[in-house]
């Protein structure tokens, strides 16, 4: 039969392990926000959260240390399968890690031996706040990675300039000559006509690891699961488009001056296009 003292030690081991796991998860999120996104406000919030949640009185800390048995922990050699590590996957993994620890601590806070030292409501409120932070953080990190791919040769296929040539054949030639981004632009056709063309182009780009952007038409970009949407100065404001677009999609904006470029950046555009620099017939 397990003695009451043994049960108490087991409870303290659970709390100690989850406080450690919580601190580690929050610290990784904090560093991602600070060193990758350079977001001062969210960095401060995560730092404050981490310190507040890990703060316990000294006698309770001694109880946790006394109960700790790292060498005897049967889970010490358990490891998850190898996965690709990118900023957004780290954000997801460590958000879930912290959320799960908060849930355990919330329940442990209701145990009689720990009730006076732990605040159940504090862990609950932090857990729900972390759900929102995870959403924002993963969204921004995913878009950041996609925005970094907007480099090299960015080709705009305007259907008006195809002059009867096959869209997919032109796209294959463009990809074969080193394009990293293709934008589909059309000012004449109906969306019903444009939809199958956009779907085919999206599939071709996906097969070749090429970014696919739709010009102007937010609904079309969503319908074909394009990587992003490109807007002109007279189109939807970036903040409105952002609310409607899926979290991981990027938004570009055409600009014609330093002032317009700065405004686009302030509104949250992931990239801007500057032009035209000089007149051409195209």
């Amino acid at each position: 039969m397990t003695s009451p003292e043994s049960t108490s030690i087991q409870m303290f081991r659970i709390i100690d392990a989850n406080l450690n796991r919580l601190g580690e998860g929050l610290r990784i999120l904090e560093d991602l926000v600070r060193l990758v996104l350079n977001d001062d406000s969210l960095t401060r919030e995560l730092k404050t959260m981490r310190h507040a949640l890990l703060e316990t009185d000294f006698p309770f800390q001694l109880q946790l240390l006394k109960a700790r048995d790292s060498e005897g922990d049967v889970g010490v050699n358990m490891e998850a399968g190898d996965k690709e590590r990118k900023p957004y996957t780290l954000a997801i993994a460590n958000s879930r890690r912290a959320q799960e620890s908060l849930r355990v601590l919330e329940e442990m806070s209701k145990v009689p031996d720990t009730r006076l030292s732990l605040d159940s409501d504090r862990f609950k409120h932090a857990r729900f706040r972390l759900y929102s932070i995870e959403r924002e953080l993963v969204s921004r990190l995913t878009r950041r990675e996609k925005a970094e791919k907007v480099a090299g040769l960015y080709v705009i296929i305007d259907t008006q300039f195809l002059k009867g040539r096959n869209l997919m054949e032109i796209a294959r030639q463009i990809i074969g000559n080193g394009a990293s981004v293709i934008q589909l632009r059309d000012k004449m056709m109906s969306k019903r006509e444009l939809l199958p063309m956009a779907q085919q182009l999206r599939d071709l780009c996906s097969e070749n690891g090429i970014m696919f952007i739709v010009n102007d038409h937010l609904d079309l970009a969503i319908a074909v699961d394009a990587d992003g949407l490109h807007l002109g100065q007279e189109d939807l404001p970036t903040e409105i488009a952002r609310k409607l677009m899926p979290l991981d999609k990027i938004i570009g904006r055409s600009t014609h001056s330093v002032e317009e470029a700065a405004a686009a950046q302030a509104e949250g555009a992931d990239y801007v296009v500057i032009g035209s620099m000089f007149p051409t017939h195209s």
Side-chain angles (χ1 to χ4, degrees):
M1 180 179 295
T2 305
S3 67
E5 180 180 0
S6 174
T7 301
S8 179
I9 291 174
Q10 291 168 356
M11 293 298 101
F12 284 126
R13 284 187 67 194
I14 293 173
I15 293 168
D16 181 53
N18 280 280
L19 282 173
N20 290 335
R21 190 178 298 120
L22 173 62
E24 292 160 0
L26 288 176
R27 185 53 192 255
I28 292 174
L29 295 180
E30 183 184 327
D31 283 349
L32 285 171
V33 171
R34 175 188 169 195
L35 302 174
V36 178
L37 295 180
N38 298 311
D39 187 319
D40 179 68
S41 177
L42 191 51
T43 298
R44 290 177 184 275
E45 180 180 358
L46 284 167
K47 184 175 183 178
T48 300
M49 178 188 290
R50 178 167 55 85
H51 283 290
L53 292 172
L54 299 181
E55 183 180 355
T56 58
D57 59 67
F58 185 64
F60 190 68
Q61 290 180 23
L62 287 179
Q63 287 180 297
L64 295 178
L65 289 171
K66 182 179 178 182
R68 184 179 297 174
D69 182 15
S70 301
E71 294 80 4
D73 187 343
V74 297
V76 70
N77 292 317
M78 293 182 184
E79 295 184 5
D82 291 333
K83 294 183 179 180
E84 186 179 16
R85 294 296 186 185
K86 293 186 175 183
Y88 65 86
T89 61
L90 285 172
I92 292 172
N94 285 281
S95 293
R96 303 294 165 81
R97 184 183 192 186
Q99 290 157 8
E100 290 165 2
S101 296
L102 284 167
R103 182 59 179 169
V104 173
L105 291 165
E106 185 182 333
E107 294 302 313
M108 290 297 104
S109 301
K110 301 170 185 177
V111 175
D113 287 342
T114 64
R115 196 179 299 156
L116 295 177
S117 298
L118 297 175
D119 185 345
S120 176
D121 285 341
R122 183 171 63 175
F123 294 127
K124 180 180 179 180
H125 293 152
R127 178 164 55 88
F128 278 92
R129 175 57 186 144
L130 203 54
Y131 291 145
S132 297
I133 290 176
E134 178 189 8
R135 183 178 187 273
E136 178 184 355
L137 183 53
V138 172
S139 167
R140 291 173 61 183
L141 288 169
T142 304
R143 293 203 316 268
R144 184 178 184 276
E145 181 177 279
K146 285 190 174 182
E148 288 175 346
K149 294 179 180 179
V150 181
L153 184 58
Y154 184 130
V155 178
I156 300 173
I157 299 181
D158 191 320
T159 55
Q160 287 181 258
F161 290 91
L162 290 177
K163 304 295 185 183
R165 290 172 293 179
N166 182 275
L167 170 70
M168 298 306 292
E169 182 56 36
I170 294 294
R172 290 188 185 93
Q173 291 178 24
I174 289 169
I175 292 172
N177 282 280
S180 54
V181 186
I182 290 179
Q183 179 193 132
L184 177 62
R185 183 178 188 272
D186 180 273
K187 300 291 185 179
M188 304 293 291
M189 299 171 65
S190 71
K191 291 179 186 177
R192 182 179 292 273
E193 293 175 296
L194 199 55
L195 178 60
M197 299 171 64
Q199 288 174 325
Q200 292 177 44
L201 195 51
R202 169 69 179 88
D203 291 342
L204 179 66
C205 288
S206 180
E207 291 168 6
N208 289 275
I210 303 299
M211 293 278 288
F212 176 58
I213 309 293
V214 170
N215 183 274
D216 288 352
H217 305 306
L218 182 145
D219 51 353
L220 192 63
I222 293 174
V224 302
D225 193 30
D227 293 301
L229 172 70
H230 189 86
L231 299 170
Q233 285 297 306
E234 303 303 319
D235 294 325
L236 278 174
T238 304
E239 58 268 28
I240 299 299
R242 178 71 70 209
K243 292 177 181 178
L244 299 173
M245 287 285 283
L247 290 176
D248 61 334
K249 307 305 181 183
I250 62 174
I251 297 176
R253 176 74 66 175
S254 291
T255 62
H256 307 90
S257 68
V258 173
E259 291 75 21
E260 287 182 357
Q265 182 182 34
E267 291 170 4
D270 296 293
Y271 72 93
V272 297
V273 168
I274 304 294
S276 59
M277 301 306 293
F278 50 85
T280 73
H281 295 296
S282 61

